[in-house]
Amino acid sequence: MSQHFCQDHTRVLSSSLFSDPSVMFSGGLGNLQKKDTQCQAFVRRIIMSPLFKRIMISTVTINAFFLVLWTDYKTRYNMYGVYEVSEIIFVSIYSSEFCMKLYMDPIYYGKDGYNLLDVVIIIIIFIPYGLRKIKGKHYPYLSIADGMQSLRILKLITYSRGIRTLVSAVRQTVYTVASVVALLFVLMYIFAILGFCLFGDPDGGDPNNWGNLAAAFFTLFSLATVDGWTDLQQQLDKRHFTSSRTFTIVFILLASFVFLSMFVGVMIIHTEAFIKKFKQELMVERQLTLMEKKQVLLKLQQEEVSRLLQTQKHVDYESFSKLVENFKRTLRHTDPMVLDDFGTSLPFIDIYLSTLDKQDTTVYKLQELYYEIVHVLRLMLEELPQKNESQSSEKMEEQ
């Protein structure tokens, strides 16, 4: 029996030894997850704050300015040290932003297209450093990698809602614009074959502009953009092509005035629709902000009234007016005020001012009517003594 008790005791001790570390590990893991969640929320607040957006916009703008200075060789030579230090600062800021966004939402980070744009820009930033390290400073394609650094300015799209609205409008017009471009390509294909057959003869034609299909396409593109089309037409007139003017006019009318105008019209329609949607979103956000401010002000007012009521219970005021005067002293000139949209909208102000004008006109007419009544009464009062005298004289004569 003692042996059985010892076995049970050793089993309990062993289970307790194994269970205590597992409990401690799970508890520590839960604390780490809780702290990690709190840290992610803190990073999210930093990234979504207006100050962070202003800092990033300023950084991208200053970086673009330094890239402009970098294009001048003399300035680059004189400010080489400043440029190197600024490049380290800019790369550090961009890398820190990337790490913060990735840490904030690592699972859904790649589902946002603007985050993928940031990843592409980060890769482009580090390409020149990698090429200089691997291939050396005299690598022939290193200038292309340096020129691609101008794409850093695309980071402004992430922090500008107006630019994002235009980008969304362009993205929505891709299918419609592709249809218009396809129709324009078909039209250019037909006229390219026709122009090659009419004007592409190497003996008496214009082989430089119409000698093959590629040259004919390039010439038609110049005609579609109406860029130097008179020079092209003069070359055809020198070779006495009678149908060249009809060919040129018909193509310019179809390509430039129909298809390109259709292209511009499609872009304008979709852009206006997205701008209206953007304004509606701004209005909704403004209303939500006003509602939040109203709730905060209402809560502050309720707390102030409750505090005054509690003060009234403990402090004996002489009268209610004294309590009101004390409440007025608590009000400050810098206290925020929230006005309703109805009272501050331009249509309401217009109607209100027109109503005041009509009210002034009505009051002026009433005053004129009042003056006329007073004038008539004055004349009646002046005529009344004369009538009395005439009546009295008539009575004297009768007697």
Side-chain angles (χ1 to χ4, degrees):
M1 184 174 179
S2 60
Q3 186 179 3
H4 180 70
F5 175 76
C6 292
Q7 290 178 357
D8 292 340
H9 184 65
T10 53
R11 190 180 296 113
V12 171
L13 288 174
S14 61
S15 61
S16 62
L17 289 174
F18 283 105
S19 61
D20 289 341
S22 62
V23 171
M24 292 174 63
F25 178 75
S26 62
L29 185 61
N31 293 328
L32 288 175
Q33 290 178 352
K34 184 178 179 180
K35 291 180 180 180
D36 187 65
T37 304
Q38 293 176 355
C39 188
Q40 285 181 347
F42 176 72
V43 173
R44 184 186 298 275
R45 286 196 299 270
I46 292 176
I47 293 176
M48 299 304 293
S49 64
L51 179 61
F52 182 81
K53 293 180 180 179
R54 294 192 188 98
I55 291 173
M56 291 305 303
I57 291 173
S58 302
T59 303
V60 175
T61 305
I62 296 172
N63 191 6
F65 178 72
F66 271 90
L67 286 175
V68 173
L69 296 178
W70 179 77
T71 56
D72 185 56
Y73 289 99
K74 185 177 180 180
T75 306
R76 191 197 310 179
Y77 178 77
N78 295 329
M79 301 179 60
Y80 181 78
V82 177
Y83 178 76
E84 290 294 326
V85 173
S86 64
E87 186 69 13
I88 294 173
I89 294 173
F90 293 141
V91 173
S92 301
I93 292 174
Y94 295 149
S95 302
S96 300
E97 180 211 12
F98 169 73
C99 295
M100 290 172 66
K101 287 185 176 180
L102 185 62
Y103 175 73
M104 180 186 69
D105 195 1
I107 299 175
Y108 299 100
Y109 179 82
K111 293 185 178 180
D112 190 354
Y114 297 109
N115 291 336
L116 297 178
L117 177 63
D118 291 339
V119 173
V120 172
I121 293 173
I122 289 293
I123 295 173
I124 291 173
I125 288 173
F126 285 100
I127 285 176
Y129 298 99
L131 291 178
R132 288 188 178 92
K133 191 71 175 177
I134 299 172
K135 299 293 185 178
K137 295 182 179 180
H138 301 287
Y139 186 64
Y141 297 105
L142 186 61
S143 58
I144 298 176
D146 291 333
M148 292 176 63
Q149 301 305 309
S150 60
L151 297 175
R152 297 181 186 185
I153 200 171
L154 294 178
K155 289 183 70 67
L156 290 175
I157 300 175
T158 308
Y159 297 100
S160 177
R161 291 190 62 183
I163 299 177
R164 290 204 304 270
T165 302
L166 295 178
V167 171
S168 300
V170 173
R171 188 174 62 229
Q172 292 294 325
T173 59
V174 169
Y175 298 105
T176 308
V177 170
S179 301
V180 176
V181 171
L183 287 175
L184 181 61
F185 177 80
V186 171
L187 178 70
M188 291 179 66
Y189 175 79
I190 294 172
F191 275 82
I193 298 296
L194 186 61
F196 171 76
C197 295
L198 292 176
F199 317 122
D201 190 5
D203 295 330
D206 186 7
N208 293 327
N209 296 319
W210 303 95
N212 52 57
L213 196 62
F217 261 100
F218 186 79
T219 304
L220 289 175
F221 182 78
S222 299
L223 293 177
T225 56
V226 200
D227 182 21
W229 70 274
T230 54
D231 298 333
L232 296 172
Q233 183 58 41
Q234 287 177 359
Q235 293 180 8
L236 295 177
D237 290 339
K238 290 179 182 178
R239 292 169 173 81
H240 304 288
F241 288 109
T242 56
S243 60
S244 62
R245 295 193 174 186
T246 304
F247 176 88
T248 303
I249 291 172
V250 171
F251 180 77
I252 289 176
L253 287 175
L254 291 176
S256 180
F257 292 96
V258 176
F259 284 96
L260 293 183
S261 299
M262 189 185 303
F263 176 82
V264 174
V266 168
M267 295 295 296
I268 290 174
I269 291 172
H270 284 79
T271 303
E272 287 181 350
F274 271 85
I275 288 174
K276 290 180 180 178
K277 183 179 178 181
F278 177 66
K279 289 182 178 179
Q280 291 177 357
E281 291 177 355
L282 288 180
M283 184 63 68
V284 171
E285 290 182 359
R286 183 171 177 269
Q287 290 178 355
L288 291 175
T289 304
L290 286 175
M291 290 298 296
E292 291 177 358
K293 289 182 178 179
K294 288 178 181 179
Q295 294 294 331
V296 171
L297 290 176
L298 181 61
K299 185 177 179 181
L300 291 175
Q301 291 174 0
Q302 290 176 352
E303 291 177 355
E304 187 67 25
V305 171
S306 300
R307 189 181 65 80
L308 287 174
L309 292 175
Q310 293 293 330
T311 306
Q312 185 184 14
K313 291 179 180 179
H314 294 85
V315 181
D316 187 14
Y317 285 93
E318 296 179 358
S319 62
F320 179 75
S321 60
K322 189 174 181 179
L323 180 64
V324 173
E325 291 296 330
N326 186 59
F327 176 72
K328 288 181 179 179
R329 293 192 191 96
T330 61
L331 298 177
R332 294 170 296 180
H333 182 68
T334 57
D335 287 341
M337 296 294 294
V338 179
L339 301 176
D340 291 331
D341 293 335
F342 178 75
T344 57
S345 61
L346 292 178
F348 173 77
I349 294 173
D350 188 16
I351 295 172
Y352 179 70
L353 293 178
S354 61
T355 304
L356 290 179
D357 292 337
K358 291 180 180 179
Q359 184 179 358
D360 293 338
T361 305
T362 304
V363 171
Y364 180 72
K365 289 182 179 180
L366 289 174
Q367 288 178 352
E368 289 183 347
L369 181 61
Y370 173 75
Y371 292 148
E372 291 180 359
I373 293 173
V374 171
H375 181 65
V376 171
L377 291 175
R378 186 176 63 82
L379 293 176
M380 291 176 64
L381 290 174
E382 289 178 354
E383 292 177 357
L384 186 59
Q386 296 177 0
K387 290 182 179 180
N388 292 332
E389 290 177 359
S390 62
Q391 289 178 0
S392 60
S393 60
E394 288 177 359
K395 288 181 181 179
M396 292 294 291
E397 289 175 358
E398 289 178 357
Q399 292 177 356

